[in-house]
Amino acid sequence: MNEFIQHVINGLSLGCIYALVAIGYTLVFGVLSLINFAHGEMVMMGAYFGMYFAKHFKLAEEPGISGLLLTLVATMIVTGCIGWCVEKFAYRPLKNAPRINLLITAVGVSLLFQFSGQLIFGSAPQFFPQLVEFNLDTWKIGELQFNPLQITVLGIALVLTVVLQTLVFKTRTGRGMRAVSFNRDLASLLGIPATRVISLTFVVGAALAGAAGVLVGLVYPKIDPLMGSLLGLKSFVAAVVGGIGNLSGAVLGALLLGLSEEFVVGYLAPTYRDAIAFAFLIIILLWRPSGLLGVNRIEKV
Amino acid sequence: MGNNVLLEVRDLSVRYGAVQALKSVHFDLIKGEILCLLGANGAGKTTLLKTLSGGLSPDSGTIRLHGSNLLALSTEARARAGMIHVPEGRGIFLNLSVEENLDLGAWTKRYTKTDYRAKLDEVFELFPRLKERLAQNAGTLSGGEQQMLAIGRAWMAEPEVLLLDEPSLGLAPKLIDKIFEIISTLQSKGATILLVEQNAEQALTIGNRGILLETGLVRMQGSAKELLASEEMRKSYLGLA
């Protein structure tokens, strides 16, 4: 039982990281109907920026929550700006082009980031500084041992997800986003500035991906310029399994993916972690082709 | 008329590829009137509304609201200037609740809480049904209710000019009467309305003036009475001999 709960916690904290990335896919898909293949690279950029930031300010010398939060906020601002630039310079000029052009551009942007990452950061993996105390004895409830790192990651991801849900469902800006995602032309007729809403969506998505990058760095400290591609792919799959375009779906899909990976590692064969987890997701998609919470999109007239 | 001209359309020509959809369309919309835009399918009525609200750009011509040029403005900016278009097929956000739809209607307005409440009450007075359905998803509404929501949402923006595209389309006769009644009420509340309708006779009954479009050309223009009495109108569009 104890072991089971440990696995659940591990799986959830991994799933939460996927969720932060999956939300970005689903948001951008919502407003532009675009699979933003460059989104995984935002995670990588976040991890690298976080690493340089923490090293520069020597935050690892005194590990603690304040240093972590500082790194997190700075990273989110920087990746948010990168997201803004990507939308402005890569996607906005194509707003009247066929959708396939956007998709190809997205692949191009992704490769651009991967290879300029290798050029700038070097292709050898680097180590993310340890920003949180890693003492297994400190957190204990009865028989259960909590890894403080995992709990911190889980907590941060949860807070960010809740903030995002509030933004999307409770604020004026969020209503604008949902209106644009339903029908951009119709939103314009009401005076909603669709271009600005789309731009903001990219900023929010990229900021969350940046945060995910820092959290990944904490949990799996070895980072490299290509780390974004598999992570991005998995999160994308999570978004699809949840029902792309649906926020809660993205979170649900990501948690399922995190848990199934963790259970495969814990109880089956660690070598086949990705294969088995993906097979599980394929089965879900066979059962519900539009995703767990997805609906068949109403054809626009 | 002079000072009362709210919207001034001059020599407006629009082309869809090789098709000339509007040819030198020329008219004034006077403050407080209902101007009916009539004509058969493909006459260019919807094209004209889309051009006014910014969805299409004309090849030539001018559109002036309160004397200032609208053509330089984006669709959003035109909405901010008070040009509110209720498109054909209602165009409501089926993924949002009735309340959120109404709220989005007030996007350009930034009301204070009290003003917002007052405006919302005004909409509920026009459409009591919407109040009952407030929390419901707009996708669950019936066709008539959706049309009411679309008009109510436009009303939230306090439009300078209200462009209504076929509000009676696909509704039961009783509901059509209701919608026309509401449009009249809006006029009595000070609205200026450009009304596109297939239902020419009923439109002219509540309208002050009418324009008849035929393959992109203004074929006839005059008071509602004149149009209702005209031989040609009666034969081709009113179905009366």
Side-chain angles (χ1 to χ4, degrees):
Chain A
M1 190 59 199
N2 199 345
E3 196 193 336
F4 176 79
I5 291 174
Q6 294 291 349
H7 284 309
V8 170
I9 290 170
N10 289 350
L12 285 180
S13 79
L14 180 62
C16 274
I17 295 176
Y18 290 144
L20 290 179
V21 188
I23 284 170
Y25 278 106
T26 239
L27 281 179
V28 166
F29 184 83
V31 294
L32 274 191
S33 300
L34 164 74
I35 311 290
N36 179 16
F37 280 112
H39 191 60
E41 272 53 57
M42 291 297 139
V43 182
M44 180 270 288
M45 298 296 275
Y48 271 94
F49 177 81
M51 179 193 75
Y52 285 123
F53 183 86
K55 276 188 177 163
H56 184 263
F57 292 101
K58 303 192 169 36
L59 295 173
E61 287 174 11
E62 266 181 82
I65 197 80
S66 57
L68 172 61
L69 290 182
L70 202 64
T71 310
L72 206 62
V73 171
T75 305
M76 288 176 75
I77 292 171
V78 168
T79 52
C81 292
I82 299 174
W84 183 84
C85 292
V86 168
E87 192 274 334
K88 164 109 180 153
F89 298 111
Y91 301 138
R92 201 181 303 171
L94 296 175
K95 75 175 174 191
N96 296 321
R99 208 163 285 163
I100 188 77
N101 298 18
L102 267 174
L103 202 67
I104 291 166
T105 306
V107 175
V109 172
S110 164
L111 292 174
L112 178 75
F113 276 115
Q114 286 180 14
F115 291 98
S116 17
Q118 293 191 332
L119 202 67
I120 297 163
F121 310 131
S123 48
Q126 300 193 43
F127 283 89
F128 197 90
Q130 197 182 313
L131 292 174
V132 191
E133 200 107 41
F134 195 79
N135 189 346
L136 277 177
D137 294 333
T138 39
W139 296 50
K140 239 179 170 178
I141 299 173
E143 287 286 286
L144 283 177
Q145 280 185 332
F146 294 102
N147 178 342
L149 185 64
Q150 235 112 43
I151 299 295
T152 313
V153 167
L154 198 62
I156 289 173
L158 268 177
V159 168
L160 287 175
T161 313
V162 170
V163 168
L164 181 90
Q165 295 265 354
T166 316
L167 171 78
V168 172
F169 291 103
K170 298 276 182 244
T171 67
R172 172 182 156 88
T173 310
R175 265 194 298 280
M177 274 182 177
R178 282 182 295 147
V180 170
S181 111
F182 182 74
N183 185 336
R184 197 200 304 187
D185 295 336
L186 190 54
S188 301
L189 286 182
L190 300 183
I192 300 167
T195 316
R196 222 185 308 153
V197 168
I198 291 170
S199 174
L200 182 77
T201 308
F202 270 84
V203 171
V204 171
L208 290 179
V214 171
L215 300 183
V216 170
L218 290 176
V219 184
Y220 305 102
K222 220 169 89 175
I223 62 175
D224 68 82
L226 300 182
M227 65 185 276
S229 71
L230 183 62
L231 209 123
L233 180 67
K234 285 184 179 176
S235 309
F236 167 59
V237 170
V240 172
V241 166
I244 193 139
N246 182 313
L247 267 187
S248 325
V251 176
L252 181 66
L255 292 180
L256 271 179
L257 179 61
L259 285 171
S260 53
E261 275 190 21
E262 179 64 25
F263 283 126
V264 172
V265 172
Y267 295 114
L268 298 166
T271 332
Y272 302 116
R273 182 177 86 161
D274 293 342
I276 296 176
F278 275 100
F280 172 62
L281 299 179
I282 289 171
I283 292 168
I284 293 185
L285 282 181
L286 285 175
W287 167 55
R288 297 212 53 165
S290 49
L292 289 170
L293 301 183
V295 277
N296 290 322
R297 284 172 82 87
I298 297 157
E299 209 53 53
K300 287 172 192 164
V301 211
Chain B
M1 296 207 302
N3 281 338
N4 286 330
V5 174
L6 191 56
L7 186 74
E8 195 184 280
V9 176
R10 293 289 174 269
D11 288 322
L12 200 65
S13 296
V14 177
R15 193 186 281 280
Y16 274 126
V19 180
Q20 183 92 40
L22 290 178
K23 295 165 198 159
S24 295
V25 169
H26 195 100
F27 68 92
D28 286 334
L29 183 65
I30 299 177
K31 194 165 170 46
E33 77 170 341
I34 295 179
L35 178 61
C36 306
L37 199 52
L38 311 168
N41 272 333
K45 303 177 306 256
T46 297
T47 303
L48 178 54
L49 289 201
K50 280 187 182 164
T51 312
L52 293 178
S53 65
L56 289 172
S57 358
D59 297 315
S60 61
T62 58
I63 303 171
R64 289 174 183 281
L65 181 66
H66 286 306
S68 63
N69 184 13
L70 275 191
L71 284 179
L73 301 182
S74 66
T75 306
E76 293 111 78
R78 290 187 206 189
R80 277 199 298 278
M83 181 76 93
I84 301 295
H85 182 173
V86 179
E88 197 178 348
R90 285 123 211 178
I92 59 171
F93 298 102
L94 300 172
N95 59 336
L96 304 184
S97 71
V98 171
E99 189 174 16
E100 287 172 322
N101 266 280
L102 290 172
D103 193 65
L104 283 171
W107 183 275
T108 54
K109 278 309 200 187
R110 293 192 171 272
Y111 291 118
T112 62
K113 272 224 164 75
T114 3
D115 288 352
Y116 178 75
R117 242 0 279 185
K119 203 75 210 167
L120 205 56
D121 285 340
E122 210 179 311
V123 170
F124 292 153
E125 210 176 296
L126 290 164
F127 306 107
R129 192 76 67 81
L130 293 183
K131 194 172 186 176
E132 297 160 26
R133 303 258 190 259
L134 210 52
Q136 234 168 288
N137 201 295
T140 64
L141 300 184
S142 70
E145 289 166 341
Q146 290 188 4
Q147 187 61 65
M148 290 174 186
L149 177 56
I151 297 176
R153 189 184 59 194
W155 196 245
M156 292 297 291
E158 291 187 332
E160 288 281 328
V161 175
L162 186 55
L163 309 174
L164 295 178
D165 199 349
E166 304 258 15
S168 74
L169 194 72
L171 298 184
K174 223 169 148 185
L175 274 171
I176 294 180
D177 292 347
K178 176 80 190 152
I179 292 286
F180 277 109
E181 195 188 308
I182 297 273
I183 294 170
S184 278
T185 315
L186 294 182
Q187 183 189 25
S188 68
K189 284 173 172 287
T192 308
I193 299 169
L194 184 58
L195 173 65
V196 166
E197 264 297 340
Q198 288 272 336
N199 207 331
E201 193 180 0
Q202 217 162 354
L204 286 172
T205 318
I206 62 160
N208 303 89
R209 293 191 306 131
I211 295 177
L212 176 63
L213 280 180
E214 219 174 73
T215 56
L217 276 168
V218 176
R219 184 86 173 70
M220 219 189 278
Q221 185 164 181
S223 75
K225 261 190 198 139
E226 279 164 22
L227 288 182
L228 276 171
S230 111
E231 195 63 27
E232 191 181 342
M233 246 339 256
R234 292 172 69 86
K235 267 193 201 142
S236 327
Y237 297 100
L238 300 175
L240 311 164

